[in-house]
C-alpha cells in the first residue's frame, strides 16, 4: 500500500484543530494512558501523571490515516506528540527536558489557569 | 521490507552532510522491541539562535528520508559550538 497524496485531508485537519483546541492538554501516543504501547509514549504519560494535570490521550495505533495525517499536521515525524493549548509542544525528548528544567510545569500551570 | 535499511552510518552521513556538525555522536538504540531507533548528540552552528523545538525540527528535517524507517529518534543534545564548549569546560571543574 502506497500513498502518494497527502494524508492530511481538510476534514482531518478540521477534526485535529478541534481536538487540540477543545482540550488544554492532548497527547497523541501509541496506546492509551492506561496501557501505553511504547516506552517513549509511556514516559510522557508518566510525566503528565506526576504533574497531576488532566489530559486527553489519543491512540494513533487505532487509525493509520490519523497516524500519517498527524505527522504532517505537526510537522513532526514520530510519536508521542504533545499539544498544550492548541500548540504543538514537542515529542518525548523535549517534554523530558522541559520537565527537568521546570518549564513544562510553568507552561501547564499557565494553561490550567487560563 | 519496511524495517530494513537504516543504519547508524546512514544517519551519521546525512547529518554530517546537511548540518556540518563540529561534534556528532549517533548511538543505535534499536535493541529490538519497537523498531529502529537512534540517540543523537549533535553540535552545529545551524542551531544558533534557535529554540530547542526548532533545533529538533532541523535534525528531523535532515533525516527526512531515514525517518520513514526510523521508529524513534532521541535527540539527547542539540547544541551550538559555544554551548558545547561551555558544557565541556564545566565538566572539567
Amino acid at each position: 500500500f502506497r500513498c502518494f497524496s497527502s494524508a492530511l485531508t481538510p476534514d482531518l485537519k478540521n477534526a485535529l484543530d478541534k481536538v487540540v483546541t477543545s482540550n488544554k492538554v492532548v497527547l497523541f501516543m501509541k496506546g492509551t494512558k492506561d496501557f501505553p504501547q511504547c516506552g517513549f509514549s509511556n514516559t510522557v504519560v508518566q510525566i503528565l501523571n506526576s504533574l497531576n494535570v488532566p489530559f486527553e490521550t489519543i491512540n494513533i495505533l487505532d487509525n493509520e490515516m490519523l497516524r500519517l495525517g498527524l505527522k504532517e499536521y505537526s510537522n513532526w515525524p514520530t510519536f508521542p506528540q504533545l499539544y498544550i493549548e492548541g500548540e504543538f509542544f514537542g515529542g518525548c525528548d523535549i517534554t523530558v527536558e522541559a520537565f527537568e528544567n521546570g518549564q513544562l510545569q510553568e507552561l501547564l500551570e499557565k494553561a490550567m489557569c487560563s | 521490507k519496511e524495517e530494513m535499511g537504516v543504519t547508524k552510518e546512514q544517519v551519521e552521513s546525512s547529518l554530517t552532510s546537511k548540518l556540518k556538525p563540529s561534534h556528532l555522536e549517533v548511538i543505535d538504540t534499536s535493541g529490538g522491541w519497537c523498531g529502529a531507533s537512534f540517540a543523537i548528540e549533535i553540535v552545529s552552528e545551524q542551531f544558533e539562535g534557535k529554540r530547542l523545538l526548532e533545533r529538533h525540527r532541523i535534525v528531523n528535517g535532515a533525516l527526512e528520508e531515514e525517518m520513514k524507517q526510523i521508529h524513534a529518534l532521541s535527540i539527547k543534545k542539540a547544541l551550538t559550538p559555544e554551548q558545547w564548549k561551555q558544557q565541556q569546560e564545566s565538566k572539567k571543574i
Side-chain angles (χ1 to χ4, degrees), chain B residues 5-16 24-30 37-40 63 66 70:
Chain B
V6 181
T7 62
K8 173 175 167 326
E9 288 71 27
Q10 261 172 283
V11 172
E12 283 169 347
S13 105
S14 287
L15 289 174
T16 301
L24 175 67
E25 193 176 344
V26 177
I27 300 161
D28 189 336
T29 53
S30 301
S37 75
F38 298 92
I40 291 175
L63 294 174
E66 292 82 356
I70 292 177

Side-chain angles (χ1 to χ4, degrees), chain A residues 12 15-37 41-42 44-45 48 55-68 70 73 78-83:
Chain A
L12 181 54
L16 288 171
D17 283 343
K18 204 175 252 174
V19 170
V20 300
T21 51
S22 56
N23 299 282
K24 289 191 172 178
V25 184
V26 184
L27 182 65
F28 297 96
M29 62 178 286
K30 293 186 173 177
T32 63
K33 66 169 97 173
D34 298 317
F35 188 54
Q37 287 180 257
S41 288
N42 183 46
V44 176
V45 167
L48 294 174
F55 62 103
E56 285 300 317
T57 60
I58 289 168
N59 184 358
I60 54 102
L61 296 175
D62 279 347
N63 185 326
E64 179 70 0
M65 284 310 278
L66 174 66
R67 191 180 71 81
L68 294 172
L70 258 171
Y73 183 77
T78 54
F79 293 94
Q81 296 183 0
L82 179 63
Y83 276 80

